[in-house]
Amino acid sequence: MTHSHEQTVDAVPQPIVDAARAASRIVVLTGAGMSAESGIATFRDARTGLWQDFDPKDLASPEGWLADSDLVWGWYRWRAALVRRSEPNAGHRAVAQWQQHAQVDIATQNVDDLHERAGSTVLAHVHGSLFEPYCSECGVRAELDDTDILDDGILIDADQRVPPPDCPRCGGLIRPGAVWFGESLPEQAWEAAENAVRAADLVLVVGTSGVVYPFAGLPAVARSAGATVVEINPVETEVSDMADHRWRTTAAVGLPLLVAQL
Ligand code: BV8
Ligand code: ZN
C-alpha cells in the first residue's frame, strides 16, 4: 500500500523546511502583503489597494507634496491612525519568535510598526516610517501626538486635508517620514539591507509585488550571492522568477506553519 503524499493545505513544502533548518543567516524581506492580514490595505491589490482612490505620484512624491501638502499630510496621518488601530498578525509574531532562536534580519518596505509591535527588531525600514516625520527644511525629527487626526475622537478621512505642523526650530513644514518616488533610500538602512541579503543563506520574500526598485532588486542580489530564495505570496509577482521556491500562501498562514517546524 503506497501512501500518496498529498500536499495538505496546512503543510509546509519540505524543501522550504529543509532550507530554513539548514540556514544560519536568514533575511526576511517584507512588503505591504505582510500587513494585509492586520487589516492594512496594500498598495496594488485591486479591490483594497491604498492607491485605488489616489495616484501614487500625487501622494507618494515630492511633486505631490509641493502641490498639496495638506492632502499628503492628511493621507499619511490617516494611515498612521489606521496602523495604531491595527494589531500585528500571526505572521509578524512568527517572525518575531523565529528571531528569538535564529539569526533573522528583517528588511521591510513597510512604513508601519507592526513588526516591532510583534516583538521583532527591524534591521531596515528602506522606505521610511509613518512614525518618524521630520522637518522638510532643517530635517529635525518631529514628535507628534494624535490630536491632529482625531476630530473630537473621530478619525479623519483618507482624503481629508490636514495642514502639516510647523517645525518648532525653523518654522519649515513637517513632512511624512516616508521615502517618496524619486527620493533616495536612507543610506544606512539600504546598505544594511543589501549587506544582510549578500551574507544570507536563506532569503524569504513575503508580501511584495516586486515592482518598486531598488528594493525589488534584492532577491536577485540574494540569488547571485548563493542564497536560497523563497517567495511567500498568494499570487505570482515580478520577482517570482528569482525564487527557488514559491509558496502560494499568505503571511499569517504560512509563516507560523514554517516557524513551528524549526
Ligand atoms: C529611487 C512611500 C532613485 C512610503 C513608496 C522605471 C523602472 C524601474 C524603476 C524606476 C522607474 N522609474 C522610476 C523608478 C524608480 C522608482 C520605482 O521603482 N518605481 C516603480 C513604480 C517603477 N523607485 C524610486 O523612486 C525609489 N527611489 O529609486 O531613487 C535615486 C537614486 C539616487 C539618488 C536619488 C534618487 C523610491 C521608492 C520608494 C517609493 N515609496 N512608498 C509609503 O507611502 O508607504 S513605494 C510603495 O510601494 C510602498 O512603499 C510599498 O512598500 C512599495 C512596494 O509595494 P509592496 O509592498 O510590494 O505592496 P503591493 O501592494 O505592491 O504588493 C502587495 C503584495 O502582497 C502583492 O504581491 C500581493 O499579492 C501580496 N499579498 C496580499 N495579501 C497578502 C500578500 N502576501 C502575503 N500575505 C497576504 N495576506
Ligand atoms: Zn525645521
Side-chain angles (χ1 to χ4, degrees):
M1 167 76 166
T2 53
H3 293 274
S4 70
H5 290 273
E6 283 305 305
Q7 172 79 44
T8 57
V9 95
D10 63 358
V12 187
Q14 197 55 44
I16 296 176
V17 177
D18 296 345
R21 285 180 178 159
S24 50
R25 301 195 58 165
I26 298 122
V27 172
V28 181
L29 302 176
T30 63
M34 182 76 225
S35 300
E37 283 150 301
S38 296
I40 309 274
T42 63
F43 292 87
R44 296 172 183 85
D45 284 337
R47 64 203 178 301
T48 60
L50 279 171
W51 305 121
Q52 68 178 8
D53 309 334
F54 308 101
D55 182 321
K57 70 179 182 320
D58 297 343
L59 287 167
S61 72
E63 300 73 26
W65 168 252
L66 291 175
D68 192 341
S69 49
D70 292 4
L71 178 68
V72 173
W73 181 256
W75 187 62
Y76 275 92
R77 296 297 289 145
W78 172 74
R79 290 172 62 195
L82 285 190
V83 169
R84 284 216 204 295
R85 281 167 166 69
S86 308
E87 290 300 318
N89 61 55
H92 295 108
R93 291 196 297 276
V95 175
Q97 189 202 329
W98 197 1
Q99 277 192 328
Q100 300 305 314
H101 56 76
Q103 163 71 34
V104 179
D105 285 324
I106 299 167
T108 186
Q109 299 170 93
N110 299 342
V111 290
D112 65 48
D113 61 351
L114 297 179
H115 278 300
E116 290 87 345
R117 283 167 50 199
S120 282
T121 52
V122 171
L123 176 72
H125 275 276
V126 298
H127 293 165
S129 165
L130 288 171
F131 305 103
E132 295 182 3
Y134 61 95
C135 174
S136 54
E137 301 294 327
C138 75
V140 76
R141 280 277 314 274
E143 296 307 321
L144 293 177
D145 58 29
D146 280 355
T147 48
D148 65 324
I149 44 177
L150 296 174
D151 241 345
D152 55 53
I154 311 291
L155 177 65
I156 60 170
D157 292 332
D159 57 358
Q160 187 159 338
R161 284 178 167 69
V162 178
D166 295 331
C167 171
R169 204 168 78 176
C170 77
L173 284 186
I174 301 295
R175 60 160 280 175
V179 178
W180 286 329
F181 288 105
E183 294 188 319
S184 45
L185 275 53
E187 194 86 23
Q188 189 271 334
W190 174 247
E191 264 170 37
E194 209 175 19
N195 293 339
V197 160
R198 284 214 164 87
D201 310 304
L202 171 68
V203 173
L204 272 77
V205 188
V206 184
T208 183
S209 55
V211 166
V212 176
Y213 281 83
F215 188 88
L218 289 176
V221 170
R223 199 174 175 75
S224 55
T228 300
V229 178
V230 172
E231 178 178 57
I232 294 180
N233 193 317
V235 302
E236 195 80 8
T237 72
E238 296 292 308
V239 289
S240 296
D241 57 7
M242 283 297 150
D244 299 283
H245 309 290
R246 304 165 194 82
W247 188 10
R248 294 289 168 245
T249 185
T250 69
V253 169
L255 287 165
L257 287 172
L258 172 60
V259 174
Q261 299 286 326
L262 306 182

